[in-house]
Amino acid sequence: MNFPFYIAKRYLKSANKNNAINIINGIASLGIVVSSMVLFVVLSIFSGLVNFSLSFSNDFDPDLKISSTLGKSYTISSQQEKEIKAIDGVASFSKIIEERVLFMFDGKEQFTYLKGVDASFLKVSNIKKGLFNGQWLSPKTSQVVVGYGISQKLSLGIFDFNNAFEVFAPKPGKGNIENPDDAFTKIGLIPVGIYAVSEDLDSKYVFSDIEVARELLGFQPNQITTLELKLKPNADENRVKEQLQTIFNNKITIKNRAQLNDALYKMLNTENTAIYLLFTLVIILTLFTLAGAIIMMILDKRGNLKTLYNLGTEVKDLRKIFLLQGTLLSVLGGVLGLVLGIIIVLIQQQFEVIMITPSLAYPVAFLFKNVLIVLTTIVSLGFIASLIASSRVSKKLLE
């Protein structure tokens, strides 16, 4: 067995004759255990909050969204549709016509987006899960599903036949407008459902059948604004993207769910990094205790170290004894803290001990990534603290 490692284990296991050093070692060990436990629990809580926050957009957004790089709309041929269906990894796709238009109801106005969807849309999106009132629209009808925010602003209910719910869009063309009524295309709509996903999305979309949007905007039968795709569970996203670019001659922009919510992902990642750095700073302060405990141990064992030095042990090996001792203490403390943290997280996941509301438990997520982050952080910082403390072993101290 390696000599410094053997001595480091002996020092780690055996109690010191000096009670003050034992107390300092105990405080250092407890600090490492608590630090690793708290860091893991906090990271697990934040991971749970991230999953909870993204669950709303995940139900709403497709796996891939295709738009044109040349304009607001593009055409898709029946041959291209067949080629998309033949791509290995594509589960389904939906043709979309989306445009910002004017809605009017009972004298109130609202500019927002009309999103015309085809019959395959529910295979791509889980928006139906967000319905809290009414039903989803029927194909080939003037029925629409509106967001909760829009319904609040317009004081709009479902199946209200006493007041007209209308949508207006400018007619394409050139020249002067003599009659204002000729400048806009108007269609009457029937609200049959209200969805609630998130504050932003609830105030953004009114869903209709794609034919309603096509008629309103004067689009051709094969003209769309976007194509939304759902991928199979084990699909190779990059390969699917390459095949789609080939089908559309590299004239399209393809975004995945993360890119569609770029601002949200950046905000969540920034918050996660800030929380990690904050708790890492706390761990660094805690590990000052470890460094102090090692220095106290060096001073207490100076007689033994002189004996080993006189017997021919090199100074670097004597330093390695305390470096290994501190590192071993960090590893053991980190592992014990992780075990306690994992138990706390699993208890919250299974039994929902802490609640935000009577029906909503505080979200946590157990991720192996967090285990590696905590263990790497504790061991790395413990190693650095031990390295600094062990450097106190010198020839001057031993002579």
Side-chain angles (χ1 to χ4, degrees):
M1 181 181 289
N2 184 275
F3 176 70
F5 184 69
Y6 173 76
I7 300 297
K9 284 205 307 181
R10 291 289 301 271
Y11 284 170
L12 191 65
K13 292 178 181 179
S14 60
N16 201 283
K17 295 179 181 179
N18 192 324
N19 287 331
I21 296 177
N22 291 331
I23 292 172
I24 294 173
N25 285 336
I27 293 173
S29 302
L30 182 62
I32 294 171
V33 172
V34 173
S35 297
S36 60
M37 179 188 70
V38 171
L39 180 59
F40 178 77
V41 170
V42 168
L43 290 178
S44 299
I45 289 173
F46 191 81
S47 297
L49 290 173
V50 168
N51 292 340
F52 181 74
S53 300
L54 295 177
S55 64
F56 302 107
S57 60
N58 289 346
D59 287 338
F60 187 88
D61 293 323
D63 293 327
L64 294 177
K65 188 172 184 176
I66 303 174
S67 57
S68 173
T69 57
L70 304 178
K72 295 181 70 174
S73 66
Y74 59 100
T75 58
I76 178 171
S77 65
S78 56
Q79 178 61 33
Q80 287 173 323
E81 291 187 40
K82 291 179 182 178
E83 292 176 359
I84 294 172
K85 290 179 182 178
I87 295 177
D88 183 29
V90 174
S92 57
F93 66 90
S94 174
K95 292 180 285 186
I96 307 293
I97 296 178
E98 181 180 322
E99 186 57 84
R100 186 177 174 87
V101 291
L102 172 65
F103 293 91
M104 293 189 66
F105 178 78
D106 195 21
K108 298 179 180 179
E109 301 178 356
Q110 176 71 33
F111 277 99
T112 192
Y113 287 89
L114 177 71
K115 187 166 184 174
V117 300
D118 62 13
S120 300
F121 182 69
L122 293 180
K123 298 178 182 178
V124 173
S125 172
N126 290 323
I127 183 62
K128 206 169 181 179
K129 288 173 59 179
L131 285 177
F132 82 97
N133 196 6
Q135 64 190 38
W136 186 251
L137 61 92
S138 299
K140 310 297 181 182
T141 67
S142 297
Q143 296 179 355
V144 293
V145 175
V146 301
Y148 179 75
I150 298 171
S151 70
Q152 290 289 96
K153 291 175 183 177
L154 296 178
S155 301
L156 173 69
I158 60 174
F159 298 107
D160 186 348
F161 299 104
N162 296 321
N163 299 291
F165 182 42
E166 298 174 319
V167 58
F168 297 81
K171 290 181 179 179
K174 298 179 180 180
N176 296 325
I177 299 174
E178 296 181 358
N179 186 353
D181 293 335
D182 296 333
F184 295 91
T185 301
K186 179 179 71 174
I187 296 179
L189 305 173
I190 305 171
V192 296
I194 299 175
Y195 72 88
V197 178
S198 67
E199 186 176 351
D200 292 337
L201 295 174
D202 295 349
S203 300
K204 187 174 182 180
Y205 288 112
V206 173
F207 290 92
S208 74
D209 184 74
I210 193 170
E211 294 301 330
V212 173
R214 182 171 286 126
E215 178 185 349
L216 181 71
L217 300 172
F219 276 25
Q220 299 299 317
N222 60 345
Q223 188 178 0
I224 59 174
T225 57
T226 58
L227 196 67
E228 298 187 357
L229 288 82
K230 182 177 180 61
L231 302 181
K232 294 177 182 177
N234 298 320
D236 185 340
E237 183 181 299
N238 292 328
R239 182 171 176 79
V240 171
K241 285 182 177 181
E242 291 175 1
Q243 292 176 281
L244 288 170
Q245 290 288 2
T246 301
I247 293 172
F248 289 97
N249 298 318
N250 295 313
K251 296 179 180 179
I252 57 172
T253 300
I254 306 174
K255 292 185 177 181
N256 58 24
R257 188 173 286 127
Q259 292 167 330
L260 290 171
N261 296 281
D262 186 53
L264 177 60
Y265 275 85
K266 283 182 179 178
M267 180 191 71
L268 293 173
N269 288 334
T270 301
E271 290 178 354
N272 191 21
T273 303
I275 289 173
Y276 170 74
L277 292 176
L278 176 63
F279 278 87
T280 299
L281 177 61
V282 174
I283 293 172
I284 291 172
L285 296 175
T286 302
L287 289 174
F288 276 123
T289 310
L290 174 64
I294 293 174
I295 292 173
M296 293 292 291
M297 179 75 73
I298 291 171
L299 296 175
D300 185 68
K301 300 292 185 181
R302 184 164 55 179
N304 295 341
L305 296 178
K306 284 183 178 180
T307 302
L308 293 173
Y309 179 70
N310 292 329
L311 290 174
T313 306
E314 295 183 9
V315 173
K316 65 176 183 179
D317 290 329
L318 296 176
R319 288 175 179 171
K320 193 179 295 183
I321 291 172
F322 297 97
L323 174 62
L324 290 172
Q325 182 186 0
T327 304
L328 286 172
L329 191 62
S330 301
V331 172
L332 294 175
V335 170
L336 181 57
L338 271 175
V339 170
L340 295 175
I342 290 170
I343 291 172
I344 293 172
V345 169
L346 293 179
I347 288 174
Q348 175 63 15
Q349 278 187 328
Q350 295 297 320
F351 302 104
E352 299 182 346
V353 178
I354 303 174
M355 305 293 290
I356 299 177
T357 67
S359 59
L360 179 62
Y362 209 96
V364 293
F366 174 78
L367 300 177
F368 284 106
K369 177 182 72 173
N370 291 337
V371 174
L372 294 176
I373 289 173
V374 172
L375 201 56
T376 301
T377 301
I378 292 292
V379 174
S380 299
L381 294 177
F383 176 83
I384 293 172
S386 303
L387 184 64
I388 294 172
S390 63
S391 65
R392 294 296 300 271
V393 179
S394 61
K395 289 184 178 181
K396 185 177 179 179
L397 179 71
L398 301 175
E399 290 174 352

